[in-house]
Amino acid sequence: SASLSLSPSTQTLKVNDSFTVDIRLNTGNKQATAVASNLNFDNSKLQVLAVDSTTSAFDVTAEEVISSNVIEISRGQAAPGISSVNALVARVTFKAIASGTANVNFSLTAPGSGPSRVVLNDGLGTDILGSVTNGSYTINAAGGGTGGGGGAQVVLPPNTRDGDLIKFLGNPTVYLVKPAGLHPFDTYESFLQYVRSSGKTLVERSGNSTAYT
């Protein structure tokens, strides 16, 4: 059977951080021509900033609705459809607005019963969705957690500007320099997305850090 998952499924953030979650599909070695990803999220702790389907494995947008604490994304693909263990359905960018644990769950009454569905390419509309992996995100108060310097004072490279990207030795996280401080990219893919859209490139600024300008 097919499965839907959120990636990352867990993450620790701070209030006012934004982060991107991928909706991923494993078709279970079947050909799927449509997918419906219905998500419930805690809107007391999370705000939806954007839904991005530009790089989805499914070419056709059937539905893309955000209402209160529900996100409904349905997409389709012409026959023979998609067969993949990790097909991207869409990306959802959230903003953390309050501390606590925020859950993001697929709506699934029972396997094959919706409202989240994966439609098999059999001409009958057979729903092959068998399981889901939901998300749980820990949000700390603003100013909590560790930063680029591991809680110590952060010394940025010379001539660092808002919009630059910073990476510290011994820390795999890449940070975006913003007026309010350092903003961590939640995934390597979200970092690459920023690089592609901003045109920024990697340069060495000093022996203690790497900056992207």
Side-chain angles (χ1 to χ4, degrees):
S1 61
S3 60
L4 285 168
S5 61
L6 299 179
S7 178
S9 59
T10 61
Q11 190 169 341
T12 300
L13 311 140
K14 292 183 293 185
V15 172
N16 294 323
D17 281 351
S18 60
F19 64 107
T20 299
V21 175
D22 287 359
I23 303 172
R24 295 279 176 177
L25 168 64
N26 182 341
T27 63
N29 204 32
K30 305 290 186 180
Q31 298 287 148
T33 54
V35 55
S37 304
N38 288 23
L39 298 172
N40 295 315
F41 67 97
D42 185 347
N43 60 358
S44 70
K45 298 181 178 66
L46 296 176
Q47 174 188 356
V48 178
L49 297 181
V51 174
D52 180 9
S53 303
T54 55
T55 55
S56 174
F58 292 81
D59 292 339
V60 179
T61 301
E63 182 180 41
E64 200 168 285
V65 176
I66 303 169
S67 176
S68 184
N69 67 329
V70 175
I71 305 169
E72 298 176 345
I73 300 171
S74 296
R75 302 193 62 81
Q77 182 70 23
I82 299 293
S83 178
S84 173
V85 298
N86 193 33
L88 176 66
V89 177
R91 291 191 167 101
V92 181
T93 300
F94 293 98
K95 180 179 180 179
I97 59 175
S99 59
T101 299
N103 295 320
V104 181
N105 298 326
F106 287 97
S107 296
L108 183 64
T109 304
S113 299
S116 293
R117 301 179 185 278
V118 177
V119 178
L120 179 67
N121 178 34
D122 63 355
L124 302 174
T126 303
D127 182 2
I128 58 172
L129 180 59
S131 63
V132 297
T133 300
N134 298 314
S136 181
Y137 307 97
T138 302
I139 305 170
N140 296 320
T146 60
Q153 182 180 5
V154 174
V155 179
L156 298 178
N159 304 318
T160 300
R161 298 172 297 276
D162 290 343
D164 283 357
L165 298 166
I166 304 296
K167 183 177 183 298
F168 298 90
L169 287 178
N171 184 346
T173 305
V174 178
Y175 296 86
L176 172 62
V177 179
K178 302 174 73 174
L182 296 180
H183 172 76
F185 286 88
D186 57 295
T187 64
Y188 185 64
E189 178 57 34
S190 66
F191 154 65
L192 290 179
Q193 243 182 334
Y194 180 86
V195 170
R196 287 194 293 265
S197 63
S198 66
K200 293 184 179 292
T201 55
L202 171 64
V203 296
E204 294 292 336
R205 282 283 186 83
S206 74
N208 295 322
S209 60
T210 302
Y212 299 77
T213 65

